[in-house]
Amino acid sequence: MSTTSEGPARSEAEMMIAEAKKALWVMVGLLAVMWVIQLVNAPTDYDLSREFGIVTRDPASLPEIFTAPFLHYGWDHIEANSGPLFVFGFLAAYRGVKKWLGVSVLIIVASGLGIWFISPTSAVTVGASGLVFGYFGYIIVRGLFDRHPIDIVIGLVMALCFAYQFVSLLPTEEGVSWQGHMFGFVGGIVGGWLFRDKRPKAVAAPDATTTLLPKNLT
């Protein structure tokens, strides 16, 4: 009996470890891509950032919603984003990279559209901070939507440890895209709901007093 009961638990733990390893390498790869782009971008005085950044309310700039998160405007910019992106991104991905991809796309679109609509006129915005805040919002609410006790604890710990980040959701510093932060954060919360674990609906047991009538086939 003990072997049978421990089997599923061990299998689930092994699957989680496998996904965590995959999430780790995915985040290492993502950061590597960003840093390689930075190495190319910096010597050109950030021409790539100006060309592929989001230009506010310019219809031709809408595709840049998907390129802007991978670009930065300086070494301090990418350094400030890299640590939180790795930590929050890993925590967002460790339960499943496929789900993480869907959440990431939603966050990128939400953050990018927020920047495109309400950033200052003619601003060119780049940076991964929209993703950072999106993952932050996602891991805070994921446990509540999925009903996983471990994720509830992780979300609570992250919210308490990084409570100072909530200030960045407001327009407190000139030149910093609070729009991307706020809309990315909201996108992460929406992602927690849309990509929550679907639980099978309970099926009511048949009433013992019900009489089953023969079927008539035509």
Side-chain angles (χ1 to χ4, degrees), residues 5-6 21 27 40 77-78 84 86 97 101 104-105 113 173 177 183 191 205 211:
S5 61
E6 291 176 3
K21 289 180 179 178
M27 291 311 302
V40 175
H77 190 194
I78 191 171
F86 182 82
V97 172
L101 285 172
S104 298
V105 171
L113 287 177
E173 186 176 348
S177 178
F183 279 86
T211 302

Side-chain angles (χ1 to χ4, degrees), residues 154-202:
I154 290 174
L156 181 61
V157 170
M158 291 296 103
L160 292 175
C161 290
F162 295 93
Y164 64 90
Q165 295 278 17
F166 289 108
V167 177
S168 298
L169 300 176
L170 303 173
T172 55
E173 186 176 348
E174 188 176 354
V176 175
S177 178
W178 63 270
Q179 299 92 343
H181 299 174
M182 182 180 68
F183 279 86
F185 186 77
V186 172
I189 292 175
V190 174
W193 171 255
L194 292 179
F195 292 93
R196 69 192 184 280
D197 288 345
K198 301 297 192 298
R199 297 178 178 271
K201 295 182 179 179

Side-chain angles (χ1 to χ4, degrees), residues 114-136:
I115 292 168
W116 189 86
F117 272 112
I118 64 175
S119 286
T121 303
S122 299
V124 182
T125 306
V126 297
S129 55
L131 266 177
V132 170
F133 278 89
Y135 293 146
F136 184 41

